[in-house]
């Protein structure tokens, strides 16, 4: 692996995604992602923003291979993810969804699920501490946690696999304002402490401002603007970017 490739965590090249959708009684094809190319350097925190239905979550799911692109390629540190074992890929690229996904059993069992599946030891207390939860919670049922704590536990479970990239799909959308702020503070802390590469979908610009080092704006499945977060929020280079920040850019669909 050369030095340049080693510095690029994710490379998206001419990605396209077409999905079948039912409109009334007619099955048609909808282009959700159109010719999207983007590089995400190692250690960056990228906020994927854009109107509802612009393809942000679909893009995350393709990076994690929950969905496959219609065409184009996705590289993880220079290697095409299509050539990787899916289970091994998802160990290297962790993902946390909007709603905490709980497994049956205790908090400890939830956090250690991935490592134990591979026959590896897991210090669940360490990862619980990483996300700011007390070690005394380990033997409690995961369902006994508040929703904000459940989301922290979901992040801990992803971190227990020691991922190189962490995908966050609207991680605060199911939380109240205080819990959401705590999750954003946690993401900031973890990205610095662990030098993680993070890709976060969010519709809350205050959260994007707080956590992101880079911004990518998607509209109708196309990458419209990408660059340093500070520069985007101070002076977007595109009219679409300016309209989006003013709350004047809307899109329907999913």
């Amino acid at each position: 692996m050369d030095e340049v490739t080693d510095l690029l965590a994710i490379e998206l090249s001419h990605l396209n995604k077409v999905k079948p959708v039912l409109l009334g009684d007619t099955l048609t094809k909808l282009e959700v992602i159109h010719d999207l190319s983007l590089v995400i350097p190692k250690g960056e925190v990228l906020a994927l923003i854009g109107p509802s239905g612009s393809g942000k979550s679909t893009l995350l799911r393709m990076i994690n291979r929950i969905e496959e692109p219609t065409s184009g390629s996705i590289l993880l540190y220079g290697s095409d993810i299509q050539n990787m074992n899916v289970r091994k890929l998802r160990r290297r690229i962790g993902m946390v969804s909007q709603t905490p996904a709980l497994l049956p059993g205790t908090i400890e069992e939830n956090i250690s699920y991935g490592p134990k599946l591979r026959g590896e030891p897991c210090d669940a207390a360490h990862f619980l501490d990483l996300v700011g939860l007390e070690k005394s919670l380990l033997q409690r049922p995961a369902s006994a946690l508040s929703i904000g704590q459940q989301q922290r536990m979901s992040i801990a479970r992803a971190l227990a696999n020691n991922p190189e990239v962490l995908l966050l799909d609207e991680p605060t959308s199911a939380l109240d304002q205080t819990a959401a702020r705590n999750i954003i503070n946690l993401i900031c802390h973890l990205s610095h402490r662990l030098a993680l590469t993070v890709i976060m979908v969010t519709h809350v610009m205050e959260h994007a401002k707080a956590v992101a080092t880079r911004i990518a704006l998607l509209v109708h499945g196309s990458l419209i603007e990408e660059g340093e977060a500070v520069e985007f929020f101070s002076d977007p280079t595109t009219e679409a970017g300016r309209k989006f920040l003013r709350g004047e850019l809307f899109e329907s669909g999913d």
Side-chain angles (χ1 to χ4, degrees), residues 5 34 123 143 151 220 222-223:
T5 300
H34 173 71
D123 184 357
S143 57
Q151 194 65 301
H220 292 295
S222 296
L223 179 63

Side-chain angles (χ1 to χ4, degrees), residues 10-162:
I10 298 288
E11 298 174 73
L12 312 176
S13 181
H14 300 291
L15 277 186
N16 293 279
K17 177 63 179 179
V18 177
K19 292 184 178 182
V21 293
L22 191 63
L23 298 177
D25 295 328
T26 305
L27 187 65
T28 187
K29 293 182 178 180
L30 177 67
E31 188 177 47
V32 181
I33 297 293
H34 173 71
D35 195 29
L36 192 152
S37 295
L38 177 66
V39 297
I40 304 164
K42 179 180 180 179
E44 295 280 4
V45 181
L46 177 79
L48 279 176
I49 63 173
S52 175
S54 57
K56 304 181 296 296
S57 294
T58 296
L59 185 58
L60 279 198
R61 290 194 291 269
M62 287 195 294
I63 294 172
N64 199 240
R65 289 193 64 186
I66 296 171
E67 297 189 33
E68 303 289 359
T70 304
S71 62
S73 65
I74 302 171
L75 305 185
L76 172 63
Y77 287 106
S79 298
D80 194 325
I81 67 171
Q82 289 295 321
N83 299 326
M84 298 180 187
N85 175 277
V86 173
R87 182 176 290 180
K88 290 181 179 178
L89 172 70
R90 290 175 184 164
R91 177 182 180 182
R92 297 178 66 186
I93 302 179
M95 187 165 179
V96 176
S97 302
Q98 299 179 29
T99 304
L102 306 183
L103 300 173
T106 65
I107 294 165
E108 181 176 21
E109 289 169 334
N110 267 260
I111 293 173
S112 61
Y113 177 80
K116 288 194 173 181
L117 203 62
R118 300 187 298 273
E120 299 173 0
C122 177
D123 184 357
H126 166 70
F127 293 103
L128 202 63
D129 184 60
L130 266 184
V131 299
L133 292 177
E134 298 174 0
K135 298 176 184 179
S136 59
L137 296 173
L138 279 173
Q139 298 310 314
R140 288 192 186 181
S143 57
L145 296 176
S146 70
I147 191 165
Q149 290 174 322
Q150 288 175 9
Q151 194 65 301
R152 284 176 177 266
M153 187 204 69
S154 296
I155 294 172
R157 186 172 59 207
L159 293 177
N161 287 315
N162 295 311

Side-chain angles (χ1 to χ4, degrees), residues 50-51 205 217 219 238-251:
M205 290 306 96
L217 172 64
V219 180
T238 64
E239 181 60 24
R242 291 187 284 273
K243 283 186 176 181
F244 183 73
L245 289 183
R246 293 196 301 264
E248 299 172 359
L249 194 64
F250 303 98
E251 186 173 350

